């Protein structure tokens, strides 16, 4: 079946550091890929998405590129802020949006220190 | 601009008690989901529904029941709560896989804010 693997952390960085959170996946066909963010005490919010190979999703300074050849969707940000502290989830959806929802990674807890 | 609303936000139960979590969405979405979130486990699917009157089991359905009597509501029930059901529960919704033009929707889920349940 489908699966998503991501580094669990916690990942601790200083403000203005460069961020990479790795995400790799296993799926048949051409899934859609997502990054969700969960701020403390809140639900999950969509951060960015990509629906086909070589697409780049971007939002709030974060970027991720859909790499079919390496089955990866790594999240990057050039200069993190304290307000980026959160849990980040990589997820995929079956090609065409399967009914049984998204497959999630276990989440990466990111801590940004001033 | 409510989106997906869950009630209650917090609840403490004793072992063996029953309760129901309510999820309501105002986006006219066909599909609805219940997940649980546990440390180190990510999100795991409990049950889901692809339309009014239909439900299906997810990855961890044991100990839970669900009902979808109205399109906008999806209820999650615990008949006899156990400490292992202490968790944060999230409801989510989305439109179906294909849109009205026959094109594919991406499968993006819209989440509620979560319900924290503690079973003593």
């Amino acid at each position: 079946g489908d699966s998503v693997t991501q580094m669990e952390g916690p990942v601790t960085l200083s403000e203005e550091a460069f961020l990479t959170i790795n995400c790799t996946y296993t799926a048949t066909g051409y899934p859609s890929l997502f990054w969700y963010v969960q701020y403390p005490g809140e639900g999950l919010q969509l951060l960015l998405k990509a629906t086909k190979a070589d697409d780049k999703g971007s939002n709030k300074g974060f970027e991720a590129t859909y790499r079919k050849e390496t089955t990866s969707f790594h999240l990057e940000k050039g200069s993190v802020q304290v307000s980026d502290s959160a849990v980040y989830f990589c997820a995929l959806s079956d090609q065409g949006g399967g009914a049984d929802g998204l497959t999630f990674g276990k989440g990466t807890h990111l801590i940004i220190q001033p | 601009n409510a989106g997906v609303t869950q009630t209650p936000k917090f609840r403490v139960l004793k072992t063996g008690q029953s309760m129901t979590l309510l999820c309501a969405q105002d986006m006219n979405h066909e599909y609805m989901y219940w997940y649980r979130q546990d440390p180190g486990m990510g999100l795991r699917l409990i049950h889901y529904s692809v339309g009014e009157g239909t439900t299906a089991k997810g990855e961890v359905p044991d100990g839970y029941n669900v009902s979808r009597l109205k399109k906008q509501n999806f209820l999650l029930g615990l008949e006899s709560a156990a400490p292992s059901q202490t968790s944060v529960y999230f409801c989510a919704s989305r439109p179906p896989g294909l849109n009205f033009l026959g094109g594919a929707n991406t499968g993006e889920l819209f989440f509620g804010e979560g319900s924290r349940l503690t079973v003593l």
Side-chain angles (χ1 to χ4, degrees):
Chain A
D2 297 344
S3 67
V4 175
T5 302
Q6 61 179 113
M7 53 202 299
E8 292 186 36
V11 173
T12 304
L13 296 173
S14 297
E15 204 166 21
E16 299 184 1
F18 184 86
L19 169 70
T20 300
I21 300 178
N22 290 337
C23 172
T24 57
Y25 68 89
T26 302
T28 55
Y30 298 89
S32 294
L33 301 175
F34 306 85
W35 276 101
Y36 279 82
V37 59
Q38 182 182 29
Y39 298 105
E42 298 184 8
L44 278 72
Q45 306 172 23
L46 180 68
L47 180 60
L48 53 84
K49 65 183 179 184
T51 59
K52 61 182 186 295
D54 299 324
D55 267 3
K56 177 184 285 188
S58 61
N59 186 27
K60 299 181 180 181
F62 291 89
E63 293 183 340
T65 301
Y66 188 162
R67 300 289 188 198
K68 181 70 174 174
E69 64 277 13
T70 55
T71 61
S72 64
F73 192 54
H74 304 323
L75 182 68
E76 297 183 336
K77 186 175 185 182
S79 177
V80 293
Q81 304 301 313
V82 172
S83 57
D84 293 327
S85 298
V87 180
Y88 293 81
F89 291 92
C90 185
L92 68 83
S93 173
D94 286 347
Q95 182 177 353
D100 56 351
L102 301 181
T103 299
F104 286 90
K106 293 186 177 181
T108 300
H109 186 194
L110 176 65
I111 301 169
I112 307 301
Q113 296 179 334
Chain B
N1 194 19
V4 179
T5 304
Q6 295 181 225
T7 52
K9 298 282 192 294
F10 302 92
R11 184 74 187 269
V12 178
L13 290 177
K14 295 181 180 179
T15 297
Q17 287 185 319
S18 64
M19 74 158 295
T20 301
L21 297 176
L22 170 63
C23 176
Q25 53 95 4
D26 61 2
M27 296 173 283
N28 202 35
H29 286 167
E30 291 290 335
Y31 294 2
M32 296 186 74
Y33 303 83
W34 277 108
Y35 287 88
R36 60 177 289 172
Q37 183 183 24
D38 302 290
M41 303 294 290
L43 274 78
R44 293 182 291 170
L45 182 64
I46 304 171
H47 286 279
Y48 65 99
S49 167
V50 299
E52 184 177 318
T54 72
T55 63
K57 294 180 180 180
E59 180 185 356
V60 288
D62 293 342
Y64 304 96
N65 56 75
V66 288
S67 64
R68 183 96 181 270
L69 298 180
K70 294 182 179 181
K71 184 178 182 179
Q72 64 268 34
N73 294 339
F74 193 31
L75 278 63
L76 177 70
L78 287 71
E79 290 187 348
S80 180
S84 61
Q85 294 176 304
T86 294
S87 187
V88 181
Y89 293 85
F90 287 100
C91 178
S93 71
R94 50 158 274 215
L98 296 178
N99 60 36
F100 71 97
L101 295 175
N105 285 316
T106 61
E108 173 188 347
L109 291 181
F110 297 79
F111 282 86
E113 293 186 348
S115 298
R116 182 176 294 276
L117 175 64
T118 301
V119 183
L120 302 176

